[in-house]
């Protein structure tokens, strides 16, 4: 059976995974995900028709969000879970299709897995034959996947904006249509506008619920108690786990994209929240082995596990892996993590792999509290340039570039970061400039929103007409679809000349790359030496 997927940076030969994903995704899982996306567009079509005469259905919005999130790179490898979502989507669509929409995506019925895979074969990415239109449609789809993931986190904290949900459903429905290229360019930009709106909503949800991130020294060593490692982006799960482990003698550590949880006042109050263990997602095999205790994935990125630890991994939310125990929410939305806690009590404490601390918590509120100091340092010439180096990390060898680039930057530069890309340089000793650390970590990839807020505040402080007049260079690393929405959001805010690496997306056709180069000055990366030279202000 063939598959075709080119949604992430590690896609085979930078053109497409066709036999098995570099991520470990199998052809059948890929086919089921294609079918789920197609049916989600059908559900969106029904939603659009209903919205002309009745109030929006929040259940449809939720199912759309969760379906999109489920298909993000490294989120869900579990065929059973995807099949369940396919059936749920069809049931909801049929129950909601009062206007009798007869598009195939709104009427398709499925039988067993073999039947689903047969039907999936004609609705995948390659069903769109025009290379440029396919490229733009997928760029929009991937942006929407990232947007839906962020929107889903906001929803779990009780924050929703139907304007965002409406846009998502409208755009997914539009993707079933044939339209001229220019329409897809417009929709790409509009997806970026809504990316900003969604990241702002999630920022509001996180900070109103858990307080503003503040400067924090995060412990990266271990203690002697048994412990649970929590990974992914879901702060709501983080809160429930901390509450339920309180007084049990079980400690909690973060991994990968959960590191920024350490910066929130709400989470800091728990004495058994010890710190962060290990590095970014792709280091999970040796690190999970050494951790000894249970691991909870709240979102991507899952790497197919080693036998040595696979029996102590749990998933929740939109992620899943065959054989991992999955924790479902109860009727009121809360989750019962007692199985994980009980298992932790029977296992040894983590093996220490590092010691010391790393500093983070430089989200917009904290940086703006230091604004006078920062502005003074720029005016005095102590800080010459800022480098936004946020985004994703990945396992490709070429990503050493980011470590070497950070090391080669002049001492009068400051790195602004968010997302797991930070692990390429957040443990280097890069020092500070008059007390301002040279690596300012705002948080998770969605906290790239904070970097934009900081840039806009600096623009105002220096009375500049254009955000591009600031001494900020954008050298961003991407891997999965959340980075796609971050990129589109930055374009929406008018940021130009973004460098994207380690490779430009394989899903961008040469003509679409030209559009991005001509209108936004998007470029790839070169050698560290050449880029350091090129980006430096004289
Ligand atoms: Fe390949 Fe990436 Fe798709 Fe996995 S998500 S199948 S690595 S393109
Ligand atoms: Fe993505 Fe896996 Fe890091 Fe949130 S989650 S950034 S790659």
């Amino acid at each position: 059976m063939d598959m075709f997927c080119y949604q992430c940076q590690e896609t085979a030969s930078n053109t497409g995974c066709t036999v098995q994903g570099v991520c470990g995704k199998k052809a059948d899982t890929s086919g089921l995900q294609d079918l789920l996306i197609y049916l989600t567009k059908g559900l969106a079509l029904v939603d659009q028709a209903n919205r002309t005469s009745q109030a929006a259905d929040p259940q449809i919005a939720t199912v759309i969000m969760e379906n999109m999130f489920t298909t993000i790179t490294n989120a869900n490898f579990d065929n059973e879970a995807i099949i369940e979502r396919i059936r749920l989507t069809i049931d909801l669509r049929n129950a909601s299709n009062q206007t009798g929409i007869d598009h195939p995506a709104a009427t398709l019925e499925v039988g067993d897995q073999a039947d689903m895979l047969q039907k999936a074969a004609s609705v995948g990415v390659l069903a769109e034959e025009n290379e440029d239109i396919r490229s733009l449609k997928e760029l929009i789809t991937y942006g929407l996947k990232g947007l839906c993931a962020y929107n889903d986190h906001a929803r779990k904290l009780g924050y929703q904006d139907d304007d965002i949900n409406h846009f998502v459903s409208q755009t997914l429905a539009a993707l079933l249509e044939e339209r001229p290229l220019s329409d897809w360019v417009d929709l790409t930009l509009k997806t970026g506008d809504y990316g900003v709106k969604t990241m702002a909503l999630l920022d509001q949800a996180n900070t109103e619920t858990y307080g503003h991130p503040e400067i924090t020294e995060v412990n990266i060593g271990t203690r002697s108690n048994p412990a649970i490692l929590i990974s992914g982006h879901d702060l709501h799960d983080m809160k429930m786990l901390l509450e339920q482990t309180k007084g049990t003698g079980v400690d909690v550590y973060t991994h990968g994209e959960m590191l920024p949880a350490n910066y929130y006042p709400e989470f800091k109050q728990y004495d058994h929240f010890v710190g962060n263990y290990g590095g970014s997602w792709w280091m999970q095999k040796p690190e999970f082995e050494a951790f000894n205790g249970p691991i909870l994935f709240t979102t991507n990125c899952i790497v197919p596990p080693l036998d040595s630890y696979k029996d102590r991994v749990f998933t929740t939310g939109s992620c899943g892996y065959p054989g991992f125990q999955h924790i479902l929410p109860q009727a009121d939305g809360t989750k019962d993590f007692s199985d994980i806690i009980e298992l932790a009590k029977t296992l040894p404490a983590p093996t220490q792999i590092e010691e010391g601390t790393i500093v983070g918590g430089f989200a917009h509120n904290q940086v703006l509290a230091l604004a006078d100091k920062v502005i003074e340092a720029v005016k005095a010439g102590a800080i010459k340039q800022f480098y936004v180096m946020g985004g994703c990390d990945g396992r490709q060898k070429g990503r050493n570039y980011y470590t070497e680039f950070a090391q080669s930057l002049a001492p009068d530069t400051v790195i602004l970061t968010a997302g797991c890309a930070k692990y390429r340089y957040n443990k280097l000793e890069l020092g500070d400039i008059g007390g301002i650390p040279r690596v300012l970590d705002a948080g998770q990839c969605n906290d790239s929103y904070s970097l934009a807020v900081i840039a806009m505040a600096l623009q105002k402080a220096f009375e500049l007409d254009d955000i591009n007049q600031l001494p900020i260079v954008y050298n961003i690393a991407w891997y999965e679809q959340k980075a796609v929405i971050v990129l589109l959001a930055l374009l929406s805010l008018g940021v130009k000349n973004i460098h994207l690496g380690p490779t430009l997306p394989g899903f961008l056709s040469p003509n679409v790359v030209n559009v991005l180069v001509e209108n936004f000055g998007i470029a790839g990366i070169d050698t560290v030496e050449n880029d350091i030279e090129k980006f430096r202000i004289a």
Side-chain angles (χ1 to χ4, degrees), residues 503-519:
T503 53
L504 287 180
F507 58 80
L508 296 180
S509 68
N511 286 331
V512 171
V513 170
N514 283 342
V515 171
L516 293 174
V517 171
E518 277 162 26
N519 293 296

Side-chain angles (χ1 to χ4, degrees), residues 69 72-74 150 231-233 256-257 280-282 299-302 390-394 399 418-423 443-447 477-483 486:
F69 200 167
I72 279 187
T73 298
N74 292 338
Y150 294 157
S231 181
H233 306 65
E257 271 286 72
S280 70
W281 65 272
W282 62 276
T299 69
N300 54 323
C301 282
I302 300 173
C392 314
D393 197 9
R399 287 185 187 259
C420 67
K422 64 167 126 324
Y423 285 105
Q444 299 177 333
C445 48
N446 45 289
D447 295 310
W478 84 284
Y479 172 62
E480 37 80 43
Q481 297 76 52
K482 294 177 190 172
V486 169

Side-chain angles (χ1 to χ4, degrees), residues 3 5-8 10-12 17 20-25 73 479:
M3 65 179 273
C5 179
Y6 65 174
Q7 67 175 353
C8 83
E10 293 186 0
T11 194
C17 295
Q20 174 177 330
V22 172
C23 60
K25 184 163 79 175
T73 298
Y479 172 62

Side-chain angles (χ1 to χ4, degrees), residues 372-392:
D372 289 347
K373 214 171 160 184
V374 174
I375 290 164
E376 206 179 297
V378 175
K379 285 192 174 151
I383 298 178
K384 276 258 172 50
Q385 265 179 311
F386 297 92
Y387 284 76
V388 171
M389 287 180 69
C392 314

Side-chain angles (χ1 to χ4, degrees), residues 81 192 207 229 253 282 367 370 400 411 417 461 512:
T207 56
L229 190 60
Y253 297 78
W282 62 276
V367 174
L370 299 171
N400 294 341
T417 193
V512 171

Side-chain angles (χ1 to χ4, degrees), residues 84-408:
E84 207 173 297
R85 297 215 65 84
I86 287 174
R87 298 202 190 285
L88 169 86
T89 305
I90 292 178
D91 289 348
L92 179 61
R93 179 201 70 188
N94 291 350
S96 311
N97 192 2
Q98 296 108 358
T99 59
I101 300 283
D102 62 359
H103 187 284
T107 55
L108 183 72
E109 295 292 339
V110 295
D112 60 7
Q113 179 171 329
D115 181 58
M116 291 183 195
L117 289 175
Q118 199 200 343
K119 286 173 173 150
S122 56
V123 299
V125 172
L126 299 177
E128 174 57 64
E129 286 170 11
N130 180 301
E131 186 194 28
D132 298 325
I133 295 199
R134 184 198 310 145
S135 177
L136 286 167
K137 279 186 164 182
E138 293 306 316
L139 174 57
I140 294 166
T141 306
Y142 304 152
L144 288 178
K145 287 186 183 190
L147 185 157
C148 283
Y150 294 157
N151 201 19
D152 196 46
H153 289 304
R155 179 185 65 83
K156 286 185 181 146
L157 297 179
Y159 289 73
Q160 279 292 269
D161 174 352
D162 189 57
D163 184 37
I164 296 172
N165 296 339
H166 192 166
F167 171 77
V168 170
S169 140
Q170 196 176 39
T171 309
L172 284 170
L175 288 165
L176 290 167
E177 296 172 16
E178 285 185 24
R179 291 192 183 185
L181 200 88
S182 57
D183 275 30
W184 300 119
V185 172
D186 291 348
L187 262 181
T188 303
L189 301 181
K190 217 167 160 195
T191 303
D193 299 344
Y194 277 89
V196 176
K197 209 168 171 176
T198 310
M199 279 191 261
L201 181 70
L202 179 54
D203 181 80
Q204 185 194 357
N206 286 340
T207 56
E208 287 182 358
T209 313
Y210 303 123
H212 283 283
E214 54 196 26
I215 303 179
T216 306
E217 277 199 26
V218 181
N219 171 32
I220 57 172
T222 53
R223 302 201 305 202
S224 57
N225 298 327
I228 297 169
L229 190 60
I230 175 169
S231 181
H233 306 65
D234 198 303
L235 298 183
H236 187 227
D237 290 334
M238 180 74 199
K239 171 72 184 171
M240 288 186 283
L241 183 66
L242 287 172
E243 223 11 74
Q244 291 176 36
T245 40
K246 204 163 67 179
T248 63
V250 173
D251 286 341
V252 173
Y253 297 78
T254 54
H255 189 263
E257 271 286 72
M258 197 56 91
L259 160 63
N262 287 278
Y263 311 152
Y264 285 87
E266 176 80 13
F267 302 136
K268 287 179 164 186
Q269 56 175 328
Y270 295 93
D271 294 336
H272 64 293
F273 181 17
V274 180
N276 191 69
Y277 187 84
S280 70
W281 65 272
W282 62 276
M283 289 293 291
Q284 65 192 252
K285 279 186 186 169
E287 291 173 356
F288 287 5
E289 201 165 49
F291 186 74
N292 302 328
I295 296 121
L296 173 62
F297 273 108
T298 66
T299 69
N300 54 323
C301 282
I302 300 173
V303 173
L306 296 174
D307 283 348
S308 58
Y309 63 80
K310 70 173 182 357
D311 296 335
R312 49 182 168 91
V313 187
F314 296 73
T315 56
T316 190
S318 294
C319 61
Y321 193 90
F324 290 176
Q325 196 176 316
H326 187 78
I327 313 241
L328 289 167
Q330 301 167 119
D332 63 355
T334 60
K335 293 175 183 174
D336 178 358
F337 293 135
S338 51
D339 284 353
I340 314 182
I341 299 166
E342 288 314 309
L343 177 62
K345 288 180 185 165
T346 68
L347 294 169
T351 306
Q352 178 145 306
I353 51 175
E354 292 174 298
E355 56 184 343
T357 56
I358 47 180
V359 178
F362 297 92
H364 57 87
N365 191 67
Q366 178 65 80
V367 174
L368 297 185
L370 299 171
D372 289 347
K373 214 171 160 184
V374 174
I375 290 164
E376 206 179 297
V378 175
K379 285 192 174 151
I383 298 178
K384 276 258 172 50
Q385 265 179 311
F386 297 92
Y387 284 76
V388 171
M389 287 180 69
C392 314
D393 197 9
R395 60 204 132 190
Q396 270 192 353
K397 282 223 170 66
R399 287 185 187 259
N400 294 341
Y401 167 94
Y402 295 102
T403 309
E404 290 163 21
F405 187 87
Q407 278 165 328
S408 308

